[in-house]
Amino acid sequence: MHADPVLEFEAVKALIGRHLHTELGRAELETIAPMTDRQAIESALADAGEAIEHLGARSQPQPASRGAAIRIRFDLDADPRPAAAKLRIDGATLEAAEIFELTRLLDAAGETRSVLLQARDRFPRLAAHASAIADLREITASLRGKILPDGSLTDDASVALGKLRRDQEKQRRLIEQSLERFLRAHGEDGTLQEDFVTIRNDRFVVPVVTGRERRVEGVIHGSSGSGATVFVEPLETIHLNNELVRLHEEELREIHRLLREFTGRLRDHAEEIGSTAGAMGRLELLFGKAEFGAEFRCSIPRLSAEGSRRLALTAARHPVLEDILRPQRKRVEPLSLVLEGAQHTLLISGPNTGGKTVALKTVGLLALMAHAGLPVPAEEAEFPLFDQVLADIGDHQSIQESLSSFSAHIQTLRSTLELATPDSLILLDELGRATDPEEGGALGVALLERFRALGAFALASTHLMAMKVYGASTAGVLNGSMGFDERTLEPTYVLRLGAPGQSAGLDIASRLGLDSALINDARGRMTTAERDVSRFLSEIHEQLAAIEKERAEISARERTVEAREQTIEHVWERKYAAKIAELEKRAANLSADFEKRAQETIGELSQKARAKIARTRREFQESVESLKPEHAAAPAAQGIAPTPQAKLGEGVKVKLRNVRQPATVRRMLSNDLVEVEAGFLRMQVSRADIEEILSSTETLGRKPSIRFEQGPSLETPYREINLIGQRAEQACEQVEKFLDNATLAQVDRVRIIHGHGMGVLKKAVADVLKNSPHVENFYVAPPEEGGSGATIAVLK
């Protein structure tokens, strides 16, 4: 698609070029042109949209993550393309500066590739462009630091080069020492012109007064401009200088060898380097488009569907005009229009200098930008797929070609008629100009009708009444007018659709300073019909202005009501959320209070139940005791002596619940609490835990045949051990000893108290119980015995 110079597409490219920093990006910019391939256009627009998204993400706070948007650097000082092209020439050796530029290119490309590929999930299209960058990190690493920015090789470029340079430095010191001796020897005899050492023809020399050079044995290397001084290389330093020259030549040979070696490494990947340079240029251009879009507040245009052609612009602006007016702190009046369905023709009329031509140029330029894959300065933009944009804007008269304004106008129209297709966009400025208004109007109507019948999109500006009437009376043609302020006699540059505009030529001429008497004379010469039409158009525009004002007020009220509704809704949501939070807090407090009371009630019930059971057992035993004398009378009557009933007291043997071995009562602690001893285990039990009182007559008065020495006793009440506050290792030892003693005492069930804490003691106790040979099983204590803060172990 050809871009007509009158639409200033090249000026837009120049605006984008301000955001490009390398020759690679500028070279890609030169290739930009409007396209007609829908797929290529949509792909380019999608790329630009993703670059804009990346640019926007960089300016927003974002967490450091793999998919973060990181700024890409494009800061190559020189153009690496000539060096990359030189690699394709067999036998050619790159200069050190060229190798340095290629190394910088590969460094920047590697960083760009890494950054964009890491964000491929978020920016897949940019990552696809980055995938065209070859992974040449190994070559880059081998060349990095070998060449300085000034094009010289560093001393560590090779071992041999470093040694040669060290040898040269040593040789220079020897030469300087030799010459210093020479200067001291001849400093007082008037031979030397000045007391210093200089270099001529790459050799160290001393300045000698002309005419006295024969006093010095050596080689003359020239004289000063005045002839007063000759520069002599003393004989004693000639062999030293010769050695320095030899070392320098070897250095040059080593440098040339290294450059050939470095060139060979790069030549092996010449194709990849070329593709990398191209990919970096394309990426820089993409981000240049994004920065242009940010500068001019652009959006990504879209192509209308093939079956539904539509041209729509919302708040569109001409970027070149905006760039011109911005330093003047002036704004461009945005342009909005819609052409869709069968309505493909827009006829714009209105005052001179009112913006008609700018409106045509804006539509044409933005259409070219959209077809070139560029963001456009508009809030929203949609275009059909055009095959060409044809424009007749401006005066093409030429004295050299003997073309008048009208003849040039006609030639352009003829060319437009020949090239136009149903998929063309046609822009015609001042259609029917430069001839008789009646004939020009008729010609303009005929041309617009031809384009309308063809199905092309056409926009035309005019002052001719015949064309305004055509626009108002023809289906598929939309009238539009550029605004004009009757009070200030100035154009408003606002496009209004639906009615033709008044030219207001006399008003504009008056504003521009034409003599008022002349203006009044011109008004008097207007026909009644012309004045009526002008007045009628003025009334129409006043009505349109009133309607637009009313519509704007209604829209503002709607926005106010909507904002108020949202505010009310937000307030209610906030109050509702606060109420819910309060109810949840109250519910949590009630639940916690219920849980606490429930635990207390369960504890009280457990204590009451245990006391009631103990009381019932005691009453039952007392009842049994009261019955025993009556049943014992029969044996007494038969002459059988009854066995005396043992009473609970110190030294009495008793049978305890859950303990197999008989226990001995040591002392009575209270009416309900007794201290007993079972084997090695000493404990305090309730009377309810005593199942049976055994007779003690068998042991009274009997001397033990075996001497018994009691081992260590376990001083803990109710068959339990408390480990709270102890270390895990110490607690494990105590539990093992406690289990041994409990087993010897034939205790069936023990309780180990370890508390809650961090769970360390609980885990340690569980490990001991799991591996103990005395334990049948173990489980968490019930709530009345400590819950999860204690463990019950059942012994074998």
Side-chain angles (χ1 to χ4, degrees):
M1 182 190 297
H2 172 68
D4 195 318
V6 74
L7 296 178
E8 302 177 289
F9 183 73
E10 291 300 319
V12 171
K13 291 170 62 174
L15 293 178
I16 297 175
R18 296 194 306 208
H19 301 282
L20 303 178
H21 308 288
T22 72
E23 292 300 324
L24 296 175
R26 297 186 187 102
E28 286 295 325
L29 177 63
E30 291 304 314
T31 65
I32 287 184
M35 301 174 286
T36 57
D37 183 353
R38 174 182 289 270
Q39 184 175 358
I41 295 171
E42 291 178 342
S43 177
L45 290 174
D47 288 346
E50 195 166 284
I52 291 175
E53 181 184 352
H54 189 280
L55 181 65
R58 292 199 318 240
S59 62
Q60 299 294 329
Q62 52 181 337
S65 63
R66 185 177 178 84
I70 301 174
R71 182 179 180 84
I72 308 297
R73 296 185 299 108
F74 300 98
D75 53 1
L76 301 177
D77 296 328
D79 186 359
R81 291 176 301 164
K86 194 174 178 180
L87 288 176
R88 298 186 176 92
I89 303 174
D90 292 335
T93 301
L94 296 179
E95 298 294 334
E98 294 174 323
I99 296 175
F100 177 77
E101 291 303 328
L102 288 181
T103 304
R104 285 198 64 190
L105 168 67
L106 297 181
D107 263 333
E111 181 181 348
T112 300
R113 182 179 187 273
S114 174
V115 168
L116 293 180
L117 289 184
Q118 286 182 359
R120 63 164 57 91
D121 294 339
R122 190 175 178 186
F123 306 105
R125 303 190 69 88
L126 295 178
H129 284 285
S131 63
I133 297 174
D135 187 2
L136 300 176
R137 286 175 291 182
E138 184 176 348
I139 295 178
T140 305
S142 68
L143 297 178
R144 187 181 297 118
K146 300 295 179 65
I147 302 176
L148 297 175
D150 61 358
S152 60
L153 272 67
T154 59
D155 293 348
D156 57 356
S158 73
V159 176
L161 182 62
K163 183 177 183 303
L164 285 170
R165 288 182 173 174
R166 289 192 297 274
D167 290 345
Q168 288 183 70
E169 186 62 29
K170 180 179 178 182
Q171 193 67 18
R172 288 191 187 93
R173 287 197 298 270
L174 291 175
I175 294 172
E176 289 173 356
Q177 293 171 3
S178 174
L179 292 176
E180 286 174 359
R181 289 193 299 270
F182 177 86
L183 293 174
R184 286 194 298 270
H186 295 278
E188 303 296 334
D189 59 6
T191 302
L192 300 176
Q193 183 72 268
E194 295 184 45
D195 187 11
F196 68 87
V197 177
T198 185
I199 296 177
R200 284 297 175 97
N201 301 324
D202 296 329
R203 302 178 75 87
F204 287 90
V205 296
V206 292
V208 177
V209 177
T210 301
R212 300 181 182 180
E213 62 269 15
R214 293 183 180 181
R215 297 184 183 181
V216 180
E217 295 183 356
V219 178
I220 297 175
H221 286 277
S223 61
S224 64
S226 63
T229 304
V230 293
F231 298 98
V232 179
E233 179 183 6
L235 185 63
E236 61 185 274
T237 62
I238 289 178
H239 70 284
L240 296 176
N241 272 325
N242 289 341
E243 178 64 15
L244 181 62
V245 170
R246 184 190 67 80
L247 291 173
H248 181 64
E249 290 175 350
E250 287 189 12
E251 177 192 9
L252 294 178
R253 284 193 292 271
E254 176 64 14
I255 289 174
H256 185 64
R257 184 192 69 80
L258 288 173
L259 293 179
R260 287 202 316 271
E261 178 186 334
F262 296 162
T263 302
R265 294 183 196 175
L266 293 170
R267 179 172 286 117
D268 292 340
H269 302 278
E271 293 298 327
E272 293 96 323
I273 292 173
S275 65
T276 295
M280 287 293 287
R282 290 189 294 274
L283 282 169
E284 184 183 16
L285 178 58
L286 275 178
F287 285 106
K289 292 179 184 180
E291 291 177 1
F292 166 80
E295 180 184 3
F296 289 91
R297 295 169 288 122
C298 295
S299 63
I300 298 299
R302 61 181 180 273
L303 296 180
S304 56
E306 295 182 3
S308 177
R309 303 172 68 209
R310 184 171 183 265
L311 194 162
L313 295 174
T314 302
R317 291 160 282 110
H318 196 292
V320 179
L321 179 60
E322 184 171 356
D323 187 64
I324 293 172
L325 295 180
R326 186 178 296 164
Q328 305 174 25
R329 299 185 181 276
K330 296 180 181 179
R331 64 183 294 268
V332 176
E333 191 66 40
L335 173 73
S336 299
L337 60 89
V338 176
L339 293 176
E340 59 185 343
Q343 201 168 53
H344 289 178
T345 304
L346 175 61
L347 191 57
I348 304 176
S349 54
N352 297 94
T353 70
K356 298 188 297 299
T357 303
V358 171
L360 296 181
K361 285 187 174 183
T362 301
V363 175
L365 177 59
L366 268 59
L368 292 176
M369 293 174 65
H371 284 69
L374 300 177
V376 299
E379 291 181 4
E380 187 177 0
E382 181 178 346
F383 294 96
L385 180 62
F386 294 127
D387 58 1
Q388 56 190 332
V389 178
L390 304 172
D392 177 20
I393 299 176
D395 191 351
H396 303 286
Q397 66 172 324
S398 172
I399 295 177
Q400 293 179 348
E401 299 180 9
S402 299
L403 288 176
S404 67
S405 296
F406 182 71
S407 58
H409 180 49
I410 293 301
Q411 282 195 5
T412 305
L413 291 176
R414 184 181 64 186
S415 176
T416 302
L417 282 169
E418 293 172 354
L419 298 174
T421 70
D423 294 323
S424 299
L425 173 61
I426 301 168
L427 306 171
L428 303 171
D429 188 28
E430 301 291 353
L431 184 58
R433 65 181 180 272
T435 187
D436 179 77
E438 186 175 353
E439 292 181 352
L443 178 61
V445 169
L447 284 168
L448 286 180
E449 186 62 22
R450 175 72 64 87
F451 294 138
R452 188 182 71 84
L454 185 62
F457 278 83
L459 284 78
S461 66
T462 186
H463 291 283
L464 302 179
M465 185 57 64
M467 297 185 66
K468 296 178 183 179
V469 173
Y470 167 77
S473 59
T474 305
V477 180
L478 178 64
N479 256 323
S481 62
M482 304 306 296
F484 180 76
D485 193 332
E486 294 283 353
R487 294 171 299 174
T488 62
L489 301 181
E490 292 184 355
T492 63
Y493 307 107
V494 177
L495 175 63
R496 293 193 181 120
L497 301 179
Q502 54 179 330
S503 297
L506 295 178
D507 293 329
I508 297 295
S510 176
R511 185 176 64 86
L512 295 177
L514 200 60
D515 183 54
S516 58
L518 188 63
I519 297 297
N520 293 330
D521 185 33
R523 292 187 191 278
R525 295 178 183 275
M526 292 177 63
T527 65
T528 304
E530 290 173 341
R531 287 196 296 270
D532 290 343
V533 169
S534 178
R535 185 171 59 254
F536 173 69
L537 291 177
S538 297
E539 292 175 357
I540 289 178
H541 280 280
E542 289 177 0
Q543 293 175 3
L544 287 175
I547 291 172
E548 289 182 0
K549 182 179 179 181
E550 185 177 354
R551 184 181 301 168
E553 291 177 354
I554 293 173
S555 178
R557 290 175 184 174
E558 289 178 350
R559 289 193 298 269
T560 302
V561 171
E562 183 178 355
R564 187 176 300 172
E565 289 178 352
Q566 291 178 352
T567 302
I568 293 173
E569 183 178 356
H570 178 70
V571 170
W572 277 107
E573 286 179 355
R574 189 169 55 190
K575 289 183 177 180
Y576 180 74
K579 189 67 175 178
I580 291 296
E582 181 183 356
L583 292 175
E584 289 178 349
K585 182 178 180 180
R586 290 176 59 186
N589 292 337
L590 290 173
S591 176
D593 185 60
F594 173 79
E595 184 70 22
K596 179 180 178 181
R597 292 186 179 183
Q599 293 294 337
E600 292 176 353
T601 303
I602 291 173
E604 292 175 359
L605 290 175
S606 299
Q607 294 176 0
K608 290 180 180 179
R610 286 198 299 269
K612 186 173 182 180
I613 291 172
R615 186 169 60 253
T616 303
R617 284 182 176 176
R618 187 169 59 252
E619 292 175 355
F620 174 74
Q621 289 177 355
E622 291 176 355
S623 300
V624 171
E625 292 292 334
S626 64
L627 293 175
K628 280 183 179 180
E630 298 177 3
H631 292 286
Q638 297 173 5
I640 301 173
T643 302
Q645 178 63 34
K647 293 184 179 180
L648 190 61
E650 295 181 5
V652 175
K653 294 286 186 178
V654 293
K655 178 69 171 68
L656 301 178
R657 181 164 53 90
N658 295 330
V659 178
R660 292 190 294 273
Q661 183 179 356
T664 304
V665 176
R666 291 177 57 84
R667 55 177 175 162
M668 303 295 294
L669 299 176
S670 65
N671 293 335
D672 189 51
L673 196 61
V674 181
E675 182 179 299
V676 299
E677 187 177 84
F680 298 113
L681 189 64
R682 181 180 298 174
M683 65 192 79
Q684 296 176 358
V685 299
S686 171
R687 284 178 177 269
D689 291 330
I690 300 175
E691 293 184 342
E692 184 179 357
I693 300 176
L694 303 176
S695 174
S696 60
T697 55
E698 297 178 359
T699 60
L700 296 176
R702 183 184 302 172
K703 294 182 179 180
S705 59
I706 299 176
R707 185 173 177 272
F708 173 72
E709 207 172 296
Q710 183 175 346
S713 62
L714 185 63
E715 296 292 342
T716 177
Y718 298 107
R719 299 182 294 281
E720 68 183 22
I721 183 171
N722 190 336
L723 305 175
I724 294 176
Q726 300 185 21
R727 295 182 178 273
E729 184 178 355
Q730 178 185 4
C732 290
E733 292 178 359
Q734 291 197 19
V735 170
E736 290 175 354
K737 184 177 179 182
F738 173 71
L739 293 174
D740 290 342
N741 291 337
T743 302
L744 290 175
Q746 297 184 350
V747 176
D748 293 333
R749 177 179 179 275
V750 295
R751 182 171 70 137
I752 303 171
I753 302 172
H754 44 68
H756 298 280
M758 300 297 292
V760 177
L761 276 180
K762 181 178 181 180
K763 184 177 183 303
V765 168
D767 292 339
V768 172
L769 297 179
K770 186 185 303 181
N771 299 318
S772 174
H774 306 309
V775 178
E776 180 73 27
N777 59 60
F778 60 94
Y779 52 88
V780 176
E784 62 271 14
E785 295 188 62
S788 59
T791 298
I792 303 299
V794 178
L795 305 183
K796 296 181 180 178

